[in-house]
Amino acid sequence: MRKIVYTLLFVLIFIPFWLNAQPKIIAHRGYWKTEGSAQNSIASLMKADSINVFGSEVDVWLSSDGVPVVNHDADIEIDGKKAVIEDTPVATLRRARLANGEIVPTAEEYLNAFLRCENVKLIIEFKKHKSKSNENVLTQKVVDMVRERGLQDKVEYISFGINFINQVRRLDPQAKVYYLNGDMAPAVLSAMGAAGLDYHYSVLYKHPYWVEAAHNLGQKVNVWTVNKPEDIQKMIDLNVDFITTDEPLLVREMIEQ
Ligand code: MG
């Protein structure tokens, strides 16, 4: 009897550690490699929610008339020509169509759709802009929209730009913000108040010890964009906390093996 009790206690104590050890999945630009979806579309967000991954990532820019819009690249094709988002008013940007026929979403529309999601967190990437002032306006507007909808606990931020890390820290000190650019050690990021690092997986091939260093500082480690089985397995073995991927179902299958 005593043996059974000890065994049960052992299992109960270690189950949380075992569960924590599994990386969580973030769908890169939403779950877009599926019927009716497209990168950064509202459909890709809803589809990420439907497959019950941890997060859905999305990229945001500021239009020339100060409206936060969703897109990956700095420019977008409108009527056969490339338009730079920062230099184009939102009314013009709205003429662009995504691969699934959706109108390019504003951040406001995206967040309103996100209110209907039940499972995923939204991982918002602030793209680096031409001027700091545009970056500051973008951060202020997006953080305000998130707060107005009461979504603070369901949104995290990422950026290649240090200015964005500082702006998020200033505007919402509780918010989690991760740095993408791969060039800072965990101790530096910790001093900046970042929640952790979110680096290209090749950076961790070079600095595998950064995972443990980050964990020792209470930080989390995310990696992008991990799509190939050998890289996915390597990141699972390195004990990262999150894997950002275009192949969320493959990553899940490999984690659950
Ligand atoms: Mg992105």
Side-chain angles (χ1 to χ4, degrees), residues 8-230:
L8 266 174
L9 272 176
F10 182 85
V11 167
L12 283 174
I13 287 167
F14 280 92
I15 275 178
F17 290 100
W18 176 72
L19 287 174
N20 279 341
Q22 309 232 335
K24 297 185 173 82
I25 300 164
I26 295 169
H28 181 237
R29 304 180 200 168
Y31 179 34
W32 58 273
K33 280 189 164 184
T34 184
E35 180 90 36
S37 195
Q39 294 187 6
N40 280 321
S41 62
I42 287 173
S44 73
L45 168 65
M46 305 318 282
K47 285 171 190 286
D49 191 53
S50 75
I51 58 169
N52 199 13
V53 284
F54 171 83
S56 187
E57 189 252 4
V58 68
D59 306 286
V60 294
W61 288 92
L62 194 69
S63 70
S64 66
D65 49 349
V67 178
V69 293
V70 167
N71 197 59
H72 178 264
D73 291 350
D75 51 26
I76 192 162
E77 200 174 301
I78 301 170
D79 305 331
K81 274 187 267 167
K82 292 273 186 190
V84 175
I85 293 178
E86 280 183 85
D87 301 337
T88 310
V90 70
T92 307
L93 293 171
R94 301 280 284 172
R95 300 218 304 269
R97 291 291 179 275
L98 304 180
N100 66 344
E102 264 183 47
I103 296 172
V104 168
T106 62
E108 193 163 26
E109 286 173 335
Y110 217 81
L111 286 168
N112 286 343
F114 181 53
L115 284 169
R116 302 200 303 272
C117 289
E118 292 175 350
N119 304 302
V120 281
K121 287 194 190 248
L122 187 60
I123 316 299
I124 299 177
E125 177 177 352
F126 289 118
K127 306 302 282 191
K128 278 177 91 169
H129 283 56
K130 292 178 188 173
S131 72
K132 250 191 181 181
S133 64
N134 271 359
E135 294 187 351
N136 296 353
V137 171
L138 176 64
T139 327
Q140 179 81 59
K141 288 193 171 178
V142 170
V143 168
D144 283 350
M145 283 178 199
V146 168
R147 191 178 282 125
E148 280 158 19
R149 288 164 181 76
L151 290 168
Q152 293 99 309
D153 292 341
K154 294 185 74 186
V155 170
E156 300 183 4
Y157 303 95
I158 57 176
S159 187
F160 282 94
I162 290 170
N163 182 47
F164 281 115
I165 309 289
N166 293 333
Q167 289 304 314
V168 171
R169 294 285 303 140
R170 184 176 68 81
L171 294 165
D172 184 0
Q174 304 298 316
K176 288 183 178 144
V177 57
Y178 293 80
Y179 180 64
L180 293 167
N181 204 35
D183 56 349
M184 286 203 250
V188 182
L189 292 175
S190 175
M192 283 170 54
L197 50 102
D198 183 356
Y199 286 171
H200 188 261
Y201 60 86
S202 64
V203 175
L204 292 190
Y205 279 125
K206 264 183 256 165
H207 306 287
Y209 50 91
W210 278 3
V211 179
E212 199 182 332
H215 289 165
N216 289 340
L217 291 160
Q219 297 198 302
K220 300 281 189 197
V221 177
N222 190 352
V223 278
W224 55 271
T225 302
V226 198
N227 296 331
K228 284 190 262 160
E230 60 268 33

